Amino acid sequence: MTTPAIFIFFPLILSLILYFFEKKPSMNRTVGVIVSILLMLFAYFQKFGAVWKIGPVSIEINTTMNVMGRSFILANQDKYFLVLVYFFAALWFGAARAAGVPARFIPFGLAIISVLTAALAVEPFIYSAILVEIAVLITIPLLLKPGIPAGKGVLRFLVFQSLAMPLVLFGGWLLGGIQASPSDAARQLQAVVFLAIGFSFWLAVFPFHSWVPQLSADIHPYISGFLLGLFPLVTLLIMLDFISGLVWLRESIYLQPSLRLVGSIMIVTTGIWAAIEKDTRRLLGYAVLLESGFALIAVSMQSEMGVLSLFISFIPRIGALAVMSLALAILTNKGFPSNLDHLSGVARRYPIAAFAFVIALLSIIGCPLLGGFPIRLELLKQMQTIDIGGTIWVFVGMMALCIAFFRVLQTITQPVVEHWSIGETPIQTIFLVFGVAALLLFGLLPHLFTGLLQPLFENLPILR
Amino acid sequence: MGFHFPGIDFICINWRICIIMDHWINLIPAVILVSAAIVVTISSDWRFIFAGYTAIYVSAFMIVIQYWSFGFSLVKLITGLMSLVVLGISVRAHPAYIPGKSWSQKIFHVIALLLVLVLLGLSSTRISNFLSIPTEIVLSSLAIIGFSLVQLGMMQDHLRIFLSILVLFFGFELIFSANESSLLVNGLLSAVCLLVAFMGSVVIQNEYENDEA
């Protein structure tokens, strides 16, 4: 048995089977959650490339699977990603009922996760571009509401992600040619330019970021949280693998300043746009962009601590996005428009959803005692030793996002109705409270989580 | 070859493209391709739009068949035409789907398209030398990529956007497949094109789902 068969082909086949049981949503959800948890536990406890013992039966778990001359490789260094992505799936599938999303979310979600895992596992690298594009196309049915035309955000998402594929493929092909003559600096530069623009489209890096808030405003917030949580994470890891694999690129003197500059610009512009934003769903999009900005800064550090911070940051990032999108989904399902003008006093009717939303926003800003804080603190501490000006700008971006937080807080707590009531269902309350508690716990005891995940941080990408 | 500002140089480069071409007869499919792009840009009738896209695929096929194997060229053509058929079936059920355009819009779009095509045409010889691909293929590929980018940038209706993504990939494939002969990559690219067409069909049908129910 091979790891790609377990983590790519098995979920893919399962998603096809579940698709035909769309009319049995409970079964769909239960199977989706159980399979995701089992895969997560398997990735956490089983050593890849070793023997798996079940009683008297021993099964060898190989890390490579060859398909038509190409290899899919999921080795021990991918365990963290697998644990994270299937934890992510279990979380999203588990709360799908509370969020009120259609049953087809589970099969499509599983299919997207398995194709994106394949994109990360495939060798040679250029096939990743095609697999990411396939994953993007699979998302389309999830983004549509029957009888309603697809919004501009959906089309922009498709266009921007599709533009990335030719650029990455072409850059990858140019790079393949360079292997024969590594001293050809002109070709190296051309390959890097093509790949950099391709990755910028994938990661919604400034100035190719406009589709993110538009998409989050156009589609169900729970689905936008799922997609905007998953896609940037996978493409970021593909980019990291790519940088790590090329010595001349990671030793280039231009890599660190350019990534830091782009990351800082993303944080500042996102913060400023969010400060004047009135749509809470678009705020979710800006939160994703801010996280991507910080991720680029973590990569730009080109240090072991930077990579570790990046990998650990995925946990509070996913937690905050999950809480924000679930809270928004609850309010959307109750018929509240996403504009702040219509959310006056909503905290008195849906207090848990409303406060969970603002706490998740605070975590993304990097407020002390919440999940995002230890990561932000570490990154800013590292950054100020290299570029104090850039650090101040990043701080300005974070403060600008604080304005958005205060605007939301001021609006939702207005005393429009006299009495407080709890409009959320018990299951919604459980998920939201669990999410907020996890964010608090990560902020208070970050070493507890990093200690648990320590065995998974094996052979992290080398950036220096 | 240079890209100098004085007008006379522009004319020289254009003539050089004609001279560098392996067969002057290839100008005919190139002209058909540009004319089809203009027809697609100005037309609001789905029949003309699909006829235009078919002409683009066929004229590009006429060029690449001279350099690639017949089977390989035919695969590209059939994939493209199948994608058009998938989208065409969806639009045929809802002919009023494509919004009309005013005359000023049409003129603006055509001028923008021609400007992009001229710019790309001027750089085709240099790209052809850099990639060691015949000028005819580079010229047709750049014309298709330029046309699709103009469409993606200016059009808003779903059908045109999906068709533009399809021809963008096709234009890219003309350059990419000339160098990368891996059957798996090319097969996957064809699968992606068919998936784009299928998803375009899903998006178009989705809008009318309640009406038909």
Side-chain angles (χ1 to χ4, degrees):
Chain A
M1 196 179 281
T2 62
T3 46
I6 298 167
F7 293 101
I8 298 170
F9 294 100
F10 167 63
L12 192 64
I13 293 165
L14 185 72
S15 70
L16 288 173
I17 296 168
L18 288 180
Y19 180 74
F20 294 104
F21 291 96
E22 203 183 329
K23 297 211 168 136
K24 293 185 174 173
S26 306
M27 190 200 84
N28 250 341
R29 272 192 300 272
T30 313
V31 173
V33 172
I34 290 173
V35 167
S36 302
I37 290 173
L38 288 177
L39 288 174
M40 180 187 77
L41 293 175
F42 186 78
Y44 187 83
F45 290 109
Q46 176 61 37
K47 194 164 174 58
F48 297 167
V51 173
W52 181 31
K53 285 192 172 173
I54 322 164
V57 185
S58 297
I59 302 167
E60 197 181 342
I61 308 293
N62 292 319
T63 55
T64 308
M65 184 180 188
N66 292 316
V67 179
M68 298 167 87
R70 272 72 186 172
S71 309
F72 288 95
I73 304 167
L74 286 173
N76 285 317
Q77 63 259 39
D78 301 309
K79 282 176 86 171
Y80 178 71
F81 167 75
L82 293 169
V83 169
L84 191 75
V85 86
Y86 282 104
F87 167 73
F88 179 85
L91 193 72
W92 244 267
F93 296 161
R97 190 179 164 203
V101 287
R104 66 183 169 185
F105 173 65
I106 312 294
F108 277 98
L110 262 182
I112 292 163
I113 287 173
S114 51
V115 175
L116 286 176
T117 309
L120 205 67
V122 73
E123 291 286 342
F125 148 80
I126 59 167
Y127 290 91
S128 304
I130 300 175
L131 289 168
V132 171
E133 177 65 16
I134 291 174
V136 168
L137 291 167
I138 295 173
T139 63
I140 299 290
L142 272 183
L143 311 180
L144 301 172
K145 291 173 200 156
I148 298 169
K152 275 186 191 171
V154 175
L155 295 177
R156 278 204 181 193
F157 164 68
L158 178 68
V159 169
F160 277 69
Q161 296 288 311
S162 298
L163 283 174
M165 188 190 79
L167 291 163
V168 175
L169 269 180
F170 194 67
W173 171 76
L174 279 176
L175 212 59
I178 293 168
Q179 311 295 350
S181 55
S183 55
D184 193 345
R187 279 230 170 188
Q188 281 181 354
L189 183 68
Q190 284 155 352
V192 167
V193 167
F194 275 107
L195 286 166
I197 301 173
F199 281 122
S200 304
F201 276 117
W202 267 351
L203 283 169
V205 166
F206 178 86
F208 308 115
H209 66 292
S210 61
W211 61 269
V212 177
Q214 275 191 331
L215 178 74
S216 58
D218 274 353
I219 63 174
H220 195 282
Y222 198 70
I223 293 170
S224 75
F226 177 78
L227 297 179
L228 295 175
L230 194 61
F231 273 91
L233 194 144
V234 173
T235 47
L236 197 71
L237 290 176
I238 293 174
M239 188 183 83
L240 221 57
D241 268 357
F242 164 73
I243 296 173
S244 169
L246 294 171
V247 180
W248 59 267
L249 180 61
R250 63 179 198 241
E251 284 180 354
S252 161
I253 51 165
Y254 302 109
L255 184 69
Q256 191 181 62
S258 25
L259 283 175
R260 201 173 54 237
L261 179 72
V262 172
S264 308
I265 291 173
M266 277 186 81
I267 293 167
V268 176
T269 50
T270 299
I272 293 168
W273 280 114
I276 53 170
E277 184 57 62
K278 291 183 93 177
D279 193 309
T280 46
R281 285 205 217 173
R282 287 174 68 92
L283 274 180
L284 179 73
Y286 287 123
V288 172
L289 289 174
L290 191 96
E291 290 282 5
S292 295
F294 273 108
L296 286 180
I297 285 179
V299 177
S300 82
M301 294 297 148
Q302 287 190 279
S303 63
E304 204 179 315
M305 187 50 86
V307 177
L308 201 62
S309 304
L310 173 72
F311 274 63
I312 295 169
S313 75
F314 292 149
I315 303 165
R317 173 188 177 139
I318 288 173
L321 272 181
V323 172
M324 265 181 110
S325 53
L326 180 59
L328 282 175
I330 291 166
L331 297 178
T332 305
N333 292 343
K334 297 289 175 190
F336 284 100
S338 53
N339 198 299
L340 271 181
D341 295 336
H342 299 99
L343 292 174
S344 294
V346 78
R348 289 184 177 234
R349 281 177 283 173
Y350 296 94
I352 297 161
F355 287 115
F357 179 80
V358 289
I359 289 170
L361 192 59
L362 272 180
S363 171
I364 284 164
I365 294 166
C367 177
L369 303 183
L370 288 170
F373 175 67
I375 312 295
R376 302 280 185 269
L377 185 68
E378 182 57 39
L379 281 180
L380 289 175
K381 237 167 68 181
Q382 284 189 48
M383 196 179 168
Q384 59 90 22
T385 59
I386 306 167
D387 177 10
I388 189 74
T391 315
I392 293 169
W393 275 111
V394 168
F395 196 69
V396 168
M398 290 163 73
M399 287 304 105
L401 197 63
C402 273
I403 298 173
F405 158 75
F406 283 117
R407 290 180 70 215
V408 173
L409 188 68
Q410 188 249 335
T411 310
I412 62 171
T413 50
Q414 277 179 6
V416 175
V417 286
E418 207 168 300
H419 299 289
W420 289 75
S421 57
I422 296 178
E424 296 87 353
T425 61
I427 190 93
Q428 290 170 342
T429 309
I430 289 168
F431 274 108
L432 287 171
V433 170
F434 171 76
V436 171
L439 285 177
L440 273 167
L441 201 65
F442 193 92
L444 290 169
L445 304 163
H447 292 295
L448 180 75
F449 288 84
T450 48
L452 276 173
L453 296 169
Q454 197 62 41
L456 302 176
F457 296 132
E458 194 180 307
N459 298 330
L460 288 178
I462 303 160
L463 295 180
R464 175 63 82 184
Chain B
M1 181 205 123
F3 184 75
H4 307 295
F5 186 70
I8 190 87
D9 283 359
F10 279 73
I11 296 164
C12 289
I13 291 163
N14 277 332
W15 278 110
R16 282 182 65 180
I17 289 169
C18 308
I19 296 162
I20 289 166
M21 277 184 162
D22 288 343
H23 309 288
W24 65 268
I25 198 126
N26 283 334
L27 271 180
I28 297 171
V31 170
I32 294 174
L33 199 152
V34 174
S35 314
I38 293 171
V39 169
V40 170
T41 306
I42 58 175
S43 180
S44 300
D45 187 327
W46 69 273
R47 292 173 193 84
F48 284 111
I49 291 174
F50 277 91
Y53 276 103
T54 308
I56 288 173
Y57 276 109
V58 172
S59 51
F61 169 73
M62 282 160 66
I63 292 172
V64 294
I65 198 172
Q66 297 166 47
Y67 301 95
W68 299 352
S69 67
F70 177 72
F72 196 54
S73 315
L74 197 65
V75 166
K76 299 282 175 199
L77 177 72
I78 290 175
T79 309
L81 295 182
M82 275 171 69
S83 310
L84 289 184
V85 168
V86 171
L87 278 170
I89 289 169
S90 312
V91 178
R92 195 167 173 267
H94 312 286
Y97 188 78
I98 303 158
K101 283 182 193 172
S102 66
W103 271 105
S104 57
Q105 275 180 315
K106 286 178 185 174
I107 293 167
F108 176 70
H109 289 162
V110 170
I111 291 172
L113 173 67
L114 291 177
L115 273 174
V116 170
L117 292 183
V118 167
L119 279 174
L120 291 173
L122 291 173
S123 56
S124 61
T125 318
R126 182 175 277 187
I127 295 171
S128 163
N129 291 334
F130 171 66
L131 296 171
S132 310
I133 302 172
T135 312
E136 283 93 329
I137 294 184
V138 173
L139 198 62
S140 53
S141 166
L142 289 181
I144 292 171
I145 291 172
F147 159 68
S148 59
L149 290 178
V150 169
Q151 292 275 309
L152 283 175
M154 292 184 167
M155 307 299 171
Q156 307 235 330
D157 58 286
H158 305 158
L159 174 69
R160 280 184 200 269
I161 283 180
F162 277 98
L163 285 170
S164 305
I165 292 173
L166 279 175
V167 286
L168 173 75
F169 287 172
F170 179 62
F172 163 73
E173 277 178 68
L174 293 184
I175 285 185
F176 187 71
S177 302
N179 285 304
E180 176 65 65
S181 54
S182 158
L183 276 179
L184 189 61
V185 173
N186 285 290
L188 280 172
L189 282 173
S190 296
V192 166
C193 285
L194 288 172
L195 199 56
V196 169
F198 177 65
M199 287 305 162
S201 163
V202 169
V203 169
I204 291 166
Q205 290 293 331
N206 175 71
E207 202 174 323
Y208 299 90
E209 214 161 84
N210 280 359
D211 300 349
E212 286 162 7

